[in-house]
Amino acid sequence: MREKLSLYSYMIKRGKPAASMALQSRYVEDVRELLAQLGVSYKLQPLTDGWDTLWMYKHPHILDIIEQLPQAPKSSFDHWVLGKLYGYDEASISEFLLKLDRTP
């Protein structure tokens, strides 16, 4: 997990808007310590019993977007926002939506 968090931190510091991953709640304190060392902002959200979603980001406005996301994306807009948060380009998001048959 340390390597994954370090990689996400590196990508965020170089322009990726956000990254997320599920983690077992028992690792939360270790993750907090590591992220403090890496200098990346983060938010933890409960996922299910014993699990949390960790969101990592650089810019403060990204937190507002993360907090407004639905738990599970349903609309094209939801998928588009997630795609942008994860750093995907328009062509890749469009291709994904076409596969889901979510485009007009």
Side-chain angles (χ1 to χ4, degrees), residues 4-16 38 40 56:
K4 191 173 190 177
L5 293 174
S6 294
L7 176 62
Y8 283 172
S9 171
Y10 175 83
M11 292 189 309
I12 287 167
K13 288 178 179 177
R14 280 155 185 73
K16 181 178 173 100
L38 294 171
V40 176
M56 300 168 60

Side-chain angles (χ1 to χ4, degrees), residues 18-90:
S20 70
M21 64 184 276
L23 73 119
Q24 291 181 342
S25 301
R26 62 185 169 143
Y27 295 116
V28 165
E29 288 310 312
D30 294 335
V31 167
R32 286 180 198 261
E33 289 176 21
L34 178 59
L35 292 176
Q37 293 171 7
L38 294 171
V40 176
S41 298
Y42 67 93
K43 167 134 180 116
L44 287 161
Q45 295 175 322
L47 186 58
T48 62
D49 286 341
W51 288 86
D52 292 289
T53 300
L54 169 67
W55 282 94
M56 300 168 60
Y57 60 94
K58 181 177 180 179
H59 301 289
H61 70 278
I62 297 296
L63 177 59
D64 186 44
I65 295 166
I66 290 167
E67 290 176 340
Q68 293 185 46
L69 288 173
Q71 186 73 7
K74 295 181 179 105
S75 68
S76 293
F77 178 78
D78 295 345
H79 287 285
W80 179 83
V81 169
L82 277 174
K84 288 299 181 182
L85 276 177
Y86 291 137
Y88 288 98
D89 61 80
E90 284 300 321

